[in-house]
Amino acid sequence: TILRLAEERDHLTVVADQYGAPTSAALLADVTAQVVRQKQREGGDRFPFGLYHLVAGGETNWCDYARFIVSESMALDKRIKLAPDAIRPIPASEYPTAAKRPANSRLDTGKFRRAFNLELPDWTIGVRHVLQQVLADGESQVASGKW
């Protein structure tokens, strides 16, 4: 949505008081596979079963997330109208939605990191990777005439 709006608009307002950590399915799969391999190497039957939170490291708000997407897209030579500084922060109260969104959807990954001795990559790494894929896929679809 941000990429589409960045192509169409000169300015944008985005909520800046709701926080989280954007996390891709690829990160969840990679980390899960890493934990399984780690426990297989260690052997034994003492797997630390339980409920764990797993999200990318760091945190951001929707406005900074949108600015990051626009900035990274520009760095990847994506032609867009919207500049990162043309994204203005607003409170959630100025952007009513049908679904009530939490101000803080960050999850505490401390238990997971301690149990498996793993540090989770910052959310920017995953978003950067997804953007590279999305932009590359878009270019290949344009070249093949699918767009």
Side-chain angles (χ1 to χ4, degrees):
T1 300
I2 294 298
L3 287 175
R4 180 179 52 78
L5 294 174
E7 292 174 341
E8 299 170 357
R9 299 188 183 178
D10 294 331
H11 65 278
L12 194 60
T13 57
V14 180
V15 172
D17 59 355
Q18 293 176 340
Y19 293 86
T23 304
S24 70
L27 175 67
L28 299 175
D30 288 347
V31 171
T32 300
Q34 188 170 344
V35 165
V36 169
R37 283 190 303 270
Q38 176 187 36
K39 292 304 173 185
Q40 285 175 333
R41 279 192 309 270
E42 292 173 2
D45 59 350
R46 294 181 302 156
F47 190 86
F49 291 101
L51 178 64
Y52 296 94
H53 296 296
L54 176 55
V55 294
E59 65 184 58
T60 190
N61 62 54
W62 286 109
C63 184
D64 288 342
Y65 181 58
R67 287 174 176 163
F68 181 80
I69 289 170
V70 168
S71 177
E72 288 296 311
S73 297
M74 293 172 73
L76 293 167
D77 295 326
K78 173 76 172 160
R79 293 188 184 143
I80 51 181
K81 291 171 62 173
L82 186 66
D85 60 354
I87 300 174
R88 183 176 63 86
I90 61 169
S93 61
E94 288 185 29
Y95 190 79
T97 60
K100 186 172 170 83
R101 307 277 187 225
N104 180 359
S105 62
R106 294 173 286 188
L107 299 176
D108 182 356
T109 60
K111 179 180 173 185
F112 177 86
R113 289 181 288 115
R114 288 186 302 274
F116 301 106
N117 196 30
L118 291 173
E119 285 302 315
L120 301 166
D122 192 76
W123 67 270
T124 58
I125 295 168
V127 172
R128 189 175 290 122
H129 180 73
V130 168
L131 276 173
Q132 290 168 346
Q133 289 180 316
V134 166
L135 295 176
D137 288 348
E139 291 300 319
S140 66
Q141 289 195 19
V142 168
S144 68
K146 293 182 182 177
W147 275 10

